[in-house]
């Protein structure tokens, strides 16, 4: 088994769709961290708590939480910039590796999870890798969240920006997130998922920092329309009131859980 608590490298995929390396520092600072309840729910449905594999881990928003529940966490991402910005944890080893070729030993994983990442994968290849590395009865989990919920006045501003201003700038894969991964093929014996959500108390600037990590916002900037992002920020601050006043931001989670019943050759 790989040692934990450090960083490593593996051969990345040449066709990796990299929407986030350029904003890796902002991603690490502003993406919401998952509640421990997510890790507990996954662990309770796994055959053991020895090793969890977090594929497409980004900068570790779920990895560090899994590290509180599982003995070891192998956190992989195809983006070296994301791994470089990842949050350290004594039970987590970060490695630059594609989800389709993790480098993990066969039959070693209790829980294979991809959070806010599966829509970027070559799913057939990823599922083969899950079967290869999963131990008998291992849990496979696809986790995602879409549009945030906040006070109605602010939410109206966010919704207009998300659906109207950014129209045409979202990658096609974003539709899969909005559907809660319901349309993704999922060839595993289903496991019932509990209702869970992300929830944080944020200031207006924290919310705007998060929005700045969206892939569609990067596209908007590249198109020379950064002034529309600035206008959005002004509208959010106006709707917010005192920008330092924290407000509850909530993202309902969609989980597709399954059981690995066979391993790839």
């Amino acid at each position: 088994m790989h040692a934990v608590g450090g960083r490593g490298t593996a051969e990345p995929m040449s066709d990796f769709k990299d929407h986030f390396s350029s904003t890796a520092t902002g991603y690490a600072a502003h993406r919401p961290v998952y509640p421990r309840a997510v890790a507990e729910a996954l662990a309770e449905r796994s055959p053991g708590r020895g090793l969890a594999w977090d594929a497409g881990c980004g900068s570790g928003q779920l990895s560090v939480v899994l590290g509180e529940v599982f003995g070891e966490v192998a956190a992989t991402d195809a983006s070296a910039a994301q791994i470089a910005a990842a949050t350290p944890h004594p039970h987590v080893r970060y490695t630059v590796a594609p989800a389709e070729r993790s480098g993990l030993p066969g039959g070693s994983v209790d829980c294979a999870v991809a959070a806010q990442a599966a829509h970027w994968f070559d799913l057939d290849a990823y599922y083969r890798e899950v079967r290869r590395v999963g131990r008998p009865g291992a849990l496979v989990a696809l986790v995602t969240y879409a549009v945030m919920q906040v006070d109605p006045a602010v939410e109206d501003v966010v919704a207009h920006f998300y659906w109207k201003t950014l129209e045409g700038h979202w990658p096609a894969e974003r539709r899969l997130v909005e559907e809660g991964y319901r349309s993704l093929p999922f060839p595993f014996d289903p496991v019932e998922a509990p209702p869970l959500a992300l929830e944080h108390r944020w200031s207006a600037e924290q919310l705007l920092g998060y929005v700045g990590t969206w892939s569609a916002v990067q596209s908007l900037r590249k198109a020379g329309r950064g002034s529309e992002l600035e206008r959005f920020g002004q509208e959010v601050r106006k709707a917010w009131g005192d920008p330092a006043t924290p407000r509850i931001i909530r993202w309902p989670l969609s989980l597709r859980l399954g059981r690995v019943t066979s391993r790839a050759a």
Side-chain angles (χ1 to χ4, degrees):
M1 176 53 58
H2 295 293
V4 297
R7 288 172 171 79
T9 60
E11 180 185 358
M13 291 190 69
S14 60
D15 59 352
F16 165 50
K17 295 181 179 180
D18 191 353
H19 294 280
F20 301 104
S21 287
S22 63
T23 57
T25 302
Y27 198 101
H30 298 297
R31 283 282 169 141
V33 174
Y34 293 82
R36 184 184 174 108
V38 174
E40 290 286 1
L42 298 180
E44 289 168 2
R45 291 160 176 79
S46 299
R49 299 191 178 208
L51 175 64
W53 171 32
D54 183 12
C57 67
S59 46
Q61 283 75 18
L62 180 59
S63 308
V64 295
V65 181
L66 292 169
E68 297 299 314
V69 175
F70 287 87
E72 297 177 286
V73 179
T76 64
D77 199 284
S79 168
Q82 288 280 13
I83 294 298
T87 303
H89 189 283
H91 293 172
V92 179
R93 176 179 174 83
Y94 293 102
T95 302
V96 180
E100 300 82 358
R101 294 197 304 276
S102 68
L104 293 171
S108 63
V109 170
D110 292 293
C111 176
V113 57
Q116 203 70 354
H119 50 293
W120 304 120
F121 298 169
D122 175 341
L123 276 181
D124 288 341
Y126 170 63
Y127 289 155
R128 285 195 298 272
E129 183 71 346
V130 167
R131 290 192 176 95
R132 184 187 72 80
V133 302
R135 59 180 288 194
L139 185 74
V140 55
L142 305 184
V143 182
T144 191
Y145 57 87
V147 184
M148 72 184 86
Q149 299 173 348
V150 67
D151 289 358
V154 178
E155 191 167 310
D156 287 346
V157 175
V158 173
H160 185 274
F161 183 70
Y162 182 98
W163 296 107
K164 300 297 184 181
T165 306
L166 296 178
E167 184 178 9
H169 289 276
W170 287 109
E173 292 88 349
R174 181 65 184 179
R175 175 183 57 82
L176 300 170
V177 173
E178 294 164 355
E179 294 173 351
Y181 287 163
R182 290 187 300 274
S183 63
L184 284 182
F186 194 68
F188 301 97
D189 293 344
V191 174
E192 186 175 357
L196 294 167
L198 288 170
E199 194 171 281
H200 289 279
R201 291 179 63 84
W202 276 358
S203 68
E205 295 308 314
Q206 286 174 300
L207 182 145
L208 292 172
Y210 161 66
V211 169
T213 69
W214 290 354
S215 56
V217 169
Q218 310 316 310
S219 174
L220 189 78
R221 286 175 170 147
K222 290 176 181 177
R225 294 171 58 192
S227 62
E228 296 185 52
L229 179 62
E230 294 175 8
R231 182 163 57 251
F232 166 70
Q234 293 168 359
E235 292 172 352
V236 165
R237 295 182 186 98
K238 181 179 178 181
W240 198 279
D242 180 355
T245 299
R247 297 184 183 275
I248 294 176
I249 316 294
R250 190 173 187 273
W251 299 260
L253 289 172
S254 296
L255 283 75
R256 292 195 72 180
L257 306 182
R259 190 74 62 197
V260 177
T261 55
S262 63
R263 284 170 51 196

